[in-house]
Amino acid sequence: QVHLVESGGGLVQAGGSLRLSCAASGSIRSIYVMGWHRQAPGKQRELVASIGSSDNTNYADSVKGRFTISRDNAKNTVSLQMNSLKPEDTAVYYCYGRIHTEWGHVGDYWGQGTQVTASS
């Protein structure tokens, strides 16, 4: 089995900062991509940021210049530093990983989600 566990969500005033972390564990051979999606009430889940195994990154236009994604390949962790938070960033944030398991399966695995609220 593979598990992803997030931490670091919470409530912050607009303009503030939060840092999300996610740790993957279990029968992992390698992780190709790690990243974060978010889903606000009444909206579809959207990609926030992703990072490949060579540290190549991709960001949603709405967070460029404010959010920074990073990963530690040795620890199978990914983090999202969120600065200058806006009320529209309020959502449940989900960690994900495209993971090659020890039994040869490649698939997308998700964390349980963590709430981020930026109050105006």
Side-chain angles (χ1 to χ4, degrees):
Q1 284 188 335
V2 173
H3 301 280
L4 277 73
V5 178
E6 301 114 332
S7 60
L11 173 65
V12 66
Q13 285 191 330
S17 298
L18 284 174
R19 185 177 181 86
L20 304 182
S21 296
C22 174
S25 62
S27 302
I28 298 170
R29 179 179 297 178
S30 62
I31 302 179
Y32 299 126
V33 180
M34 297 191 82
W36 298 88
H37 281 67
R38 67 186 180 188
Q39 187 165 21
K43 295 187 177 182
Q44 288 188 329
R45 189 175 296 193
E46 62 175 358
L47 173 69
V48 176
S50 64
I51 183 167
S53 57
S54 300
D55 288 343
N56 45 308
T57 58
N58 182 41
Y59 294 93
D61 288 342
S62 60
V63 307
K64 284 181 181 177
R66 299 188 297 122
F67 291 10
T68 302
I69 190 170
S70 59
R71 66 187 281 179
D72 184 328
N73 293 328
K75 297 181 179 179
N76 289 336
T77 59
V78 62
S79 297
L80 185 69
Q81 178 66 42
M82 304 184 293
N83 298 329
S84 303
L85 281 160
K86 303 176 180 180
E88 50 263 44
D89 294 317
T90 295
V92 178
Y93 284 68
Y94 296 91
C95 171
Y96 84 97
R98 179 156 296 168
I99 296 173
H100 189 174
T101 66
E102 291 180 346
W103 63 86
H105 173 72
V106 177
D108 289 341
Y109 293 84
W110 295 86
Q112 78 284 358
T114 186
Q115 177 69 45
V116 170
T117 303
S119 63
S120 57

